[in-house]
C-alpha cells in the first residue's frame, strides 16, 4: 500500500500536466558599509580619552579657606607658574560654618606638589600701600596658587589655605632674618628692605608675642644681597620723614616715597666688617628707631656720664645730642626725675654716653690716659655740662660740654660705672633768670616818688630862671662882653690907655663870669644834662672862656712887648 496520495485526474479526460519545481534559492553575502566607521572611531576615541583621563587624573584634595570669594566650581584652576595643576570641583561650607571647604581634582602633574611643605592661597586683585598684585585676575578671574616648598616632605591631601600670599617663595634664593624692636612704627607685611637706597628684600610678618616683650619682625633679603648681612650690620627703621635744623637751615630727609607710605627697614655694613662672614639664616638683630641710634651703636668705646640739673629739662629726651663746641661727641641715654620726699628736694638725672670715636680715630685715641683722668683735666679748666636750647622753634634741648669762665673747682666722682660730671645752668634759662632779677630790681624802684620829685625840680628851676639873680647875671655878662669888644677895638688903635685898666677889668670879668657860671650851673643841673638849656649854657661858657683867653694872651703879649703900644702891630712886635 503506497503512502503517496492518488494523483488527480483531469475531468476533461486529458492527462494531467507535470508541475514545475520551485527555483533554487541562492544566498549572496552583503559587502561592509563604511558608514559604520564613524561610530566605531568615535567609540574608540571616547574609550581612549576615558582611559587617558583615568590615567592622568590625580587625587581629589581639600583646601579650607576663610571665604570663597572669586572661586567657581568647574572653572577656578590651581596653578603654579601659570601652569594648570587642577580644577575646583565643589565648594561647600564646613559643618560648623566657620570656613569654606574647596575640593580640587588635581592632574597627574599636580600630584607631585601634594606634600606637607606645599602652601595654597587665592590670587585676587590686591591693593595696598606696599603692594599691588593680582591685577591680571581682573580679566581672567581669581585662581589658586600653590608653592611646592622645599623638596621632600610627606604626602598630604588636606590643606589649610593662606589668607595672604607668602612673602617668600620656595624658588626665590635668599635668607630670612629676625629683628627685635620696641615698636614697629609704620612697618607692615610687604614693607621694603633697603641697602644704600636699593630695595633688596621685604618685611614678611611681625609677632607681638605676649605683648610685654619686644616685637619680633621677620624680614627677607634676596640673594646676592644677603651676603651683605653680617654680624656687624645694623638695621634701623627708615619709615616716614625726618626733619630738623642742620647747618643753619631746615633739613628734611626720607628714604623713598614707598617708605613714607608703607614704611621701610634699612641696614648698613660698616667698613670694619669687610672680612666678616655672612650671617646665617634666622640670625637675630636689633632694630634701631633711627639712623642716628644705629650709628651710635656702632661705636666700640662708650663712656657713661651722669649730670644732675635743677632747672627745666623740657625738650631733652633720649637720643638728644651731647656737643663740644657744637660738634656731637655723644648722646643722651636717659632723663629721669629724682624726688627726695624726706628733704623735699628734686633734681633731674641725665645719663649720657660719650663716644670718643666721633672725634678720635683708632690711632689718635690716647691709650696712656684713662677717661676719668682726661675728664678731670678738662673739668679743672672749667669744663661743665650745660643744658642749652637746640632749636627755639621746636623747643628741643641738648647737652653742651662748655668751658665756663670762673667756674668753681669740682671733682669727677663715680656712680656705679658712670662718671658724675659737674653741671652749670645755661642757655635760655640763664637769660630768663637774669631778666627775672632785673624785673625784680626794677619793681623796687619808686617811680612815683621820682616823678613827683622831678616835677618839683622843674617848678623850682622855672622859678630860678625867672628870678632877679639870673636876669642880673645875664645883664652883667652882656655888659662885660660889650666892654671886651670895645677893649679889643681900642687895642687895635692903641693899647696904652687901656693897659692900665686891663688888670682890673680882667679881674672884674673873671668875678662876673664865675658868679654867672655858678648861678647858671645850678639852673642847668636842675634841667638835666641833656636839656637844650644845658647845651646853650655850655656854648655860652665856651664863648666867655674864649674871650678871657684872648684877653690873657693880649696881656701877656703887651707884657713882653710894651713897645707895641707905640709902634702898633708893625716892626718887632709883629714879628714876635
Amino acid at each position: 500500500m503506497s503512502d503517496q496520495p492518488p494523483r488527480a485526474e483531469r475531468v476533461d479526460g486529458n492527462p494531467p500536466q507535470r508541475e514545475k519545481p520551485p527555483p533554487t534559492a541562492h544566498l549572496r553575502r552583503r559587502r561592509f558599509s563604511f558608514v559604520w566607521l564613524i561610530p566605531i572611531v568615535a567609540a574608540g576615541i571616547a574609550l581612549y580619552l576615558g582611559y587617558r583621563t583615568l590615567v592622568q587624573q590625580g587625587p581629589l584634595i581639600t583646601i579650607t579657606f576663610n571665604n570663597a570669594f572669586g572661586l567657581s566650581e568647574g572653572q577656578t584652576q590651581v596653578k603654579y607658574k601659570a601652569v594648570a595643576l587642577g580644577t575646583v570641583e565643589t565648594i561647600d561650607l564646613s559643618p560648623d560654618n566657620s570656613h569654606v571647604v574647596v575640593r580640587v581634582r588635581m592632574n597627574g602633574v599636580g600630584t607631585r606638589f601634594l606634600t606637607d611643605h606645599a602652601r595654597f592661597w587665592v590670587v585676587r586683585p590686591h591693593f595696598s600701600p606696599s603692594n599691588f598684585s593680582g591685577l591680571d585676575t581682573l580679566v581672567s578671574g581669581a585662581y589658586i596658587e600653590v608653592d611646592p616648598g622645599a623638596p621632600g616632605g610627606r604626602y598630604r591631601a588636606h590643606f589649610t589655605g593662606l589668607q595672604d600670599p607668602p612673602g617668600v617663595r620656595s624658588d626665590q634664593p635668599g635668607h630670612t632674618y629676625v629683628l627685635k624692636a620696641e615698636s614697629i612704627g609704620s612697618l607692615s607685611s610687604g614693607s621694603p628692605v633697603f641697602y644704600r637706597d636699593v630695595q633688596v628684600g621685604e618685611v614678611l610678618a611681625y609677632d607681638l608675642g605676649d605683648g610685654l616683650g619686644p616685637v619680633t619682625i621677620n624680614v627677607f633679603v634676596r640673594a646676592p644681597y644677603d651676603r651683605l648681612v653680617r654680624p656687624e650690620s645694623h638695621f634701623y627703621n627708615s619709615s616716614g620723614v625726618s626733619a630738623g635744623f642742620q647747618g643753619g637751615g631746615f633739613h628734611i630727609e626720607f628714604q623713598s616715597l614707598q617708605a613714607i607710605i608703607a614704611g621701610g627697614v634699612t641696614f648698613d655694613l660698616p667698613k670694619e666688617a669687610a672680612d666678616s662672614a655672612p650671617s646665617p639664616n634666622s640670625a637675630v638683630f636689633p632694630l634701631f628707631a633711627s639712623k642716628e641710634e644705629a650709628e651710635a651703636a656702632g661705636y666700640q668705646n662708650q663712656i657713661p656720664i651722669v649730670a644732675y640739673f635743677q632747672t627745666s629739662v623740657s625738650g631733652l629726651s633720649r637720643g638728644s645730642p651731647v656737643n663740644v663746641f657744637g660738634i656731637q661727641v655723644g648722646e643722651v641715654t636717659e632723663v629721669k626725675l629724682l624726688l627726695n620726699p624726706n628733704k623735699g628736694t628734686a633734681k633731674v638725672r641725665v645719663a649720657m654716653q660719650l663716644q670718643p670715636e666721633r672725634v678720635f680715630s683708632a690711632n689718635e685715641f690716647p691709650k696712656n690716659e684713662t677717661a676719668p683722668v682726661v675728664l678731670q683735666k678738662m673739668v679743672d679748666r672749667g669744663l661743665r655740662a650745660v643744658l642749652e636750647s637746640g632749636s627755639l622753634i621746636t623747643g628741643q634741648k641738648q647737652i653742651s660740654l662748655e668751658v665756663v669762665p670762673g667756674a668753681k673747682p669740682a671733682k669727677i666722682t663715680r656712680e656705679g660705672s658712670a662718671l658724675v660730671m659737674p653741671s652749670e645752668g645755661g642757655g635760655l634759662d640763664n637769660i630768663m633768670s637774669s631778666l627775672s632779677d632785673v624785673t625784680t630790681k626794677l619793681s623796687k624802684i619808686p617811680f612815683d616818688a621820682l616823678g613827683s620829685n622831678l616835677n618839683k625840680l622843674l617848678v623850682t628851676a622855672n622859678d630860678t630862671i625867672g628870678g632877679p639873680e639870673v636876669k642880673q647875671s645875664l645883664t652883667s655878662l652882656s655888659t662885660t662882653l660889650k666892654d671886651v669888644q670895645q677893649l679889643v677895638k681900642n687895642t687895635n688903635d692903641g693899647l696904652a690907655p687901656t693897659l692900665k685898666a686891663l688888670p682890673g677889668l680882667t679881674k672884674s670879668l673873671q668875678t662876673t663870669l664865675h658868679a654867672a657860671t655858678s648861678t647858671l650851673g645850678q639852673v642847668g643841673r636842675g634841667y638835666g644834662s641833656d636839656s637844650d638849656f644845658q647845651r646853650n649854657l655850655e656854648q655860652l661858657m665856651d664863648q666867655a672862656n674864649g674871650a678871657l683867653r684872648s684877653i690873657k694872651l693880649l696881656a701877656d703879649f703887651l707884657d713882653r712887648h710894651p713897645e707895641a703900644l707905640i709902634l702898633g702891630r708893625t716892626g718887632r712886635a709883629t714879628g714876635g
Side-chain angles (χ1 to χ4, degrees), residues 395-441:
Q396 295 179 349
K397 290 187 178 180
Q398 60 189 15
I399 299 296
S400 177
L401 303 182
E402 299 179 359
V403 176
V404 179
K408 297 180 180 180
K411 292 292 183 181
I412 293 289
T413 59
R414 282 191 173 273
E415 186 178 288
S417 60
L419 301 176
V420 180
M421 191 170 186
S423 62
E424 289 282 346
L428 189 61
D429 291 337
N430 278 359
I431 298 176
M432 298 303 296
S433 178
S434 300
L435 290 177
S436 178
D437 294 340
V438 172
T439 303
T440 302
K441 293 179 180 179

Side-chain angles (χ1 to χ4, degrees), residues 97-391:
N97 298 327
S98 62
H99 54 272
V100 175
V101 179
V102 179
R103 292 177 177 84
V104 180
R105 178 65 65 177
M106 304 293 290
N107 57 30
V109 178
T111 305
R112 71 182 72 166
F113 292 84
L114 304 180
T115 66
D116 55 357
H117 295 166
R119 297 175 294 177
F120 293 84
W121 67 94
V122 179
V123 179
R124 305 185 183 94
H126 182 75
F127 303 95
S128 69
S130 60
N131 185 22
F132 292 87
S133 62
L135 300 182
D136 56 331
T137 60
L138 294 174
V139 178
S140 62
Y143 61 90
I144 299 175
E145 182 82 7
V146 59
D147 179 38
R154 297 176 298 175
Y155 175 81
R156 175 182 289 181
H158 301 279
F159 299 90
T160 300
L162 302 178
Q163 183 68 21
D164 297 311
V168 181
R169 313 293 173 84
S170 58
D171 59 344
Q172 189 173 11
H175 285 80
T176 302
Y177 304 98
V178 179
L179 307 181
K180 300 288 186 178
E182 293 298 325
S183 62
I184 64 173
S186 58
L187 296 179
S188 61
S189 298
S191 296
V193 176
F194 296 97
Y195 177 78
R196 294 189 177 182
D197 299 332
V198 178
Q199 184 175 349
V200 298
E202 65 180 28
V203 176
L204 300 180
Y206 58 87
D207 184 14
L208 293 176
D210 58 1
L212 301 177
V215 182
T216 301
I217 305 171
N218 295 320
V219 298
F220 175 76
V221 179
R222 300 190 304 270
Y225 305 105
D226 55 347
R227 61 183 176 83
L228 299 174
V229 181
R230 305 183 183 183
E232 295 83 3
S233 298
H234 299 98
F235 289 79
Y236 60 90
N237 194 329
S238 56
S239 305
V241 179
S242 175
F245 290 88
Q246 296 181 7
F250 185 75
H251 179 77
I252 183 170
E253 180 180 359
F254 58 89
Q255 182 67 50
S256 66
L257 292 177
Q258 185 179 5
I260 294 177
I261 299 173
V265 174
T266 302
F267 73 93
D268 58 13
L269 180 64
K271 294 181 179 180
E272 56 269 16
D275 299 331
S276 300
S279 298
N281 197 51
S282 301
V284 180
F285 295 89
L287 179 64
F288 297 98
S290 63
K291 181 180 180 180
E292 291 73 17
E293 289 190 13
E295 291 178 348
Y299 297 117
Q300 300 297 325
N301 294 326
Q302 302 276 350
I303 302 176
I305 300 293
V306 173
Y308 290 91
F309 296 91
Q310 292 184 336
T311 58
S312 174
V313 295
S314 176
L316 187 70
S317 61
R318 181 179 178 182
S320 298
V322 178
N323 298 332
V324 174
F325 299 122
I327 299 176
Q328 185 174 357
V329 296
E331 64 177 8
V332 176
T333 58
E334 185 186 32
V335 179
K336 185 177 182 180
L337 176 64
L338 301 180
L339 296 174
N340 190 335
N342 296 327
K343 297 182 179 180
T345 59
K347 58 183 178 180
V348 179
R349 181 182 184 271
V350 178
M352 300 164 278
Q353 288 282 0
L354 297 185
Q355 296 139 356
E357 292 171 280
R358 291 180 180 267
V359 181
F360 300 101
S361 64
N363 298 328
E364 296 175 342
F365 190 78
K367 298 181 180 179
N368 298 328
E369 299 285 352
T370 61
V373 174
V374 175
L375 284 177
Q376 185 60 58
K377 291 180 179 179
M378 301 178 71
V379 168
D380 292 340
R381 288 172 172 79
L383 187 70
R384 299 291 186 271
V386 179
L387 183 66
E388 65 177 14
S389 176
S391 173

